[in-house]
Amino acid sequence: KLTISATANVTVTSSFVVVTTITIDGGTVTIANGQYLNTGTTGSVIVNSGTIAAAGTGYIYFYKPGSGKGLTTFTAGTISAPILFKGPNAAAVIAPGTYGGLVTVKNYESSSGTGTWTPSAGTYTFTGGFAVTNDRADTTITIANTNNPSFIIQGDVTFTQSAGTLAYTAGTGTITLSGTAAQTINFAGKTVENIIVTKPTSGAITWTSGDTITAGGNWSMTALTVPTGVTVAMGTNDIAVS
């Protein structure tokens, strides 16, 4: 067990595995370039306050977290480090909150395997983007939104199924695309939750052909690119683009 107190400033200069818990109680953890903080299958991260950041390519690595393991508590504080959530148990946890780095859900190395992320009820804000990837044959990675979470995404959405199966179970929550940055959205043709777009003209959105979008919110013609093959259902007060 490791606790980072309010006065501590810790830099992870060599990748390590937490076998039980690491608790951030107001201090700062910086993961150095090329290193990671790994919870393995039995470890958990608890963020009560404070910061987890990364330098360069540093990241937080949840490798095949078991039932009830992962980032179990995110009460307050800041997580700006990228997160790799790999081969999770269906009951593994990434708590709702605001995540500043890219959040990636992926299969694990072995073939004929499965990994499922079941987000908790609540709202997830991904300012650094959201990715789901399967690149191994005979494996399945699933996003199961049976707890009906909502997502606010300010970066790119990249679903990639170069091998194996990528499955997505939509809930009754919403996906909000916001922020001033340009976004590329690719749900790989999956049926997802209703999408709300609230962006200024400076933040163009490029949709991927084959996705079906049900949308509402504040639209701008100059901020929206709709390729052939994308279906967009507009809200009552929105501008339809065809």
Side-chain angles (χ1 to χ4, degrees), residues 127-153:
T127 63
F130 179 48
V132 184
T133 302
N134 196 351
D135 57 8
R136 286 192 65 91
D138 302 322
T139 65
T140 300
I141 188 72
T142 301
I143 306 298
N145 290 336
T146 53
N147 293 318
N148 302 315
S150 288
F151 301 92
I152 299 172
I153 304 174

Side-chain angles (χ1 to χ4, degrees), residues 199-206 219-225:
K199 295 180 71 65
T201 56
S202 59
I205 295 179
T206 300
W219 292 79
S220 165
M221 277 189 170
T222 58
L224 181 64
T225 302

Side-chain angles (χ1 to χ4, degrees), residues 153-156 176-185 196-207 218-226:
I153 304 174
Q154 297 178 354
D156 294 341
T176 299
L177 304 177
S178 66
T180 59
Q183 293 174 270
T184 298
I185 308 300
I196 300 169
V197 178
T198 55
K199 295 180 71 65
T201 56
S202 59
I205 295 179
T206 300
W207 307 100
N218 301 318
W219 292 79
S220 165
M221 277 189 170
T222 58
L224 181 64
T225 302
V226 183

